[in-house]
Amino acid sequence: MKNQIGLHMGYWWGTEASDDLNRMLELTAQAELEILEVNPAWLLRMTPEACQKLLRRAKDCGVRFTLNGGLDATNDIASGDETVRRKGIDYCIRVLERMSELEMTLWSGVNYSAWLRAPQPEGDAQEEKVRACGYAVQSLQPILRAAEREGIDYCFEVVNRFEQFLFNTAQEAVAFAEAVGSPRAKVHLDTYHMNIEEDNTCAAICFAGVSGRLGHFHAGESNRRVPGTGATNLDWKAIGRALRQAGYAGAVVMEPFVLTTAFNAKRTRVWRDLSRGATLEQLVCDAQTGGRFLRDVLEE
């Protein structure tokens, strides 16, 4: 079974399509991609009727949806504050219960704690990490029961040390998923983050695959440009071989952040234009090039 290739909606943020999910869908289809990855906040603010209409358009375009995004300090399920944890649990269950409206069966991201959370300046960071992981595992029990009911894979994204501290490698993430215990608890790997944290990216992919926990995969250059659109520090052929060896048949979603005009540019640290001054038409062409490049890599 061939991997479907997709694109995170954040690629279109900062363009004329920034506030129009229908337009993002159209552009993604023009780029010959099979998946558009959306954010939970967008899902929650849509009415069921709007979801039905968007889903019909997606099917007409031959595109399906996955969900990517996580939590913040107000609903961190790994927080030491029980009220905050409860708010996060309720939020996650609400998201899971809405996902069927867009026929989504996968939620990835920093959905186990707050994105951009770091240890408190005072105190022992390792002790805080152990406590936070414990709170997260406990909070995830009712969340994963909901995921099981809804038939959704709940994938923990492994991000770099500057974006989270509970875990930063595939080995740590697999151990966390095992502690959670549900068959729906999966690991989400990303080439951008692995390039920073892993000793061996391909070994990390194979480890997650052999564990049976590899549930989702993000592809991006080491500077978060579209794969295959410029010089690269990554051995894409080796990454493709590792995914095949891991038996990974899931989605491979590009998550490029290239525009300084995107509303999340400061949080994703985009301080210069990585699009090379691309027009919207060129962004579509670049996404198309990335999709074709990844298909070649995965099929070699």
Side-chain angles (χ1 to χ4, degrees):
M1 181 178 178
K2 292 184 179 180
N3 305 90
Q4 288 191 317
I5 310 299
L7 183 67
H8 192 284
M9 68 185 301
Y11 181 66
W12 305 118
W13 292 337
T15 72
E16 66 184 45
S18 287
D19 298 316
D20 188 344
L21 190 51
N22 286 287
R23 181 69 172 131
M24 294 183 207
L25 173 63
E26 177 184 298
L27 294 168
T28 302
Q30 286 179 21
E32 301 176 353
L33 300 171
E34 299 145 308
I35 296 169
L36 176 60
E37 194 153 87
V38 301
N39 185 277
W42 288 67
L43 171 64
L44 291 181
R45 70 179 181 227
M46 293 176 68
T47 65
E49 293 74 22
C51 286
Q52 290 175 11
K53 184 176 180 180
L54 182 65
L55 183 60
R56 286 196 296 270
R57 292 190 65 175
K59 289 183 176 181
D60 288 343
C61 293
V63 175
R64 69 180 181 91
F65 299 106
T66 55
L67 194 73
N68 175 262
L71 306 170
D72 59 30
T74 70
N75 60 5
D76 182 358
I77 62 171
S79 170
D81 186 326
E82 184 177 359
T83 301
V84 173
R85 295 200 302 274
R86 172 46 59 186
K87 184 177 179 182
I89 292 168
D90 292 344
Y91 172 83
C92 291
I93 291 173
R94 189 164 79 253
V95 170
L96 288 165
E97 291 176 345
R98 290 288 312 273
M99 287 176 64
S100 63
E101 294 173 25
L102 288 178
E103 295 185 358
M104 292 186 287
T105 59
L106 184 146
W107 179 8
S108 69
V110 186
N111 49 20
Y112 49 87
S113 184
W115 182 46
L116 302 181
R117 176 179 171 180
Q120 294 298 310
E122 68 282 354
D124 186 286
Q126 293 304 311
E127 289 180 1
E128 184 178 348
K129 178 175 178 174
V130 171
R131 284 197 305 273
C133 282
Y135 287 132
V137 169
Q138 182 181 47
S139 298
L140 283 163
Q141 300 309 305
I143 294 169
L144 266 295
R145 287 195 292 271
E148 290 168 8
R149 287 195 304 272
E150 300 294 330
I152 293 168
D153 282 342
Y154 198 94
C155 303
F156 309 123
E157 183 169 8
V158 188
V159 297
N160 68 73
R161 69 190 70 183
F162 306 109
E163 298 185 34
Q164 242 295 328
F165 74 108
L166 267 64
F167 47 81
N168 304 114
T169 67
Q171 187 171 0
E172 288 182 306
V174 167
F176 181 82
E178 294 290 344
V180 172
S182 169
R184 290 289 182 175
K186 302 288 186 178
V187 169
H188 166 194
L189 297 181
D190 182 312
T191 58
Y192 167 75
H193 298 294
M194 287 192 288
N195 180 66
I196 297 172
E197 296 294 347
E198 298 287 357
D199 293 331
N200 185 314
T201 291
C202 295
I205 293 169
C206 290
F207 177 84
V210 169
S211 76
R213 293 289 181 180
L214 182 56
H216 196 49
F217 198 82
H218 271 179
E221 295 289 2
S222 58
N223 56 10
R224 279 199 149 163
R225 281 194 173 113
V226 176
T229 59
T232 180
N233 293 325
L234 302 179
D235 188 341
W236 285 105
K237 290 185 178 180
I239 289 169
R241 286 195 300 271
L243 286 167
R244 292 193 298 275
Q245 290 168 7
Y248 181 69
V252 175
V253 174
M254 295 181 286
E255 190 190 29
F257 292 121
V258 297
L259 298 177
T260 59
T261 51
F263 80 89
N264 69 332
K266 290 181 179 179
R267 290 187 297 164
T268 54
R269 311 306 197 249
V270 182
W271 308 129
R272 68 188 189 282
D273 178 21
L274 291 168
S275 76
R276 304 182 179 90
T279 62
L280 184 59
E281 181 180 10
Q282 185 59 52
L283 287 172
V284 172
C285 290
D286 286 348
Q288 183 184 59
T289 296
R292 290 174 176 174
F293 173 79
L294 288 174
R295 289 186 187 97
D296 288 343
V297 163
L298 293 164
E299 293 173 11
E300 281 187 0

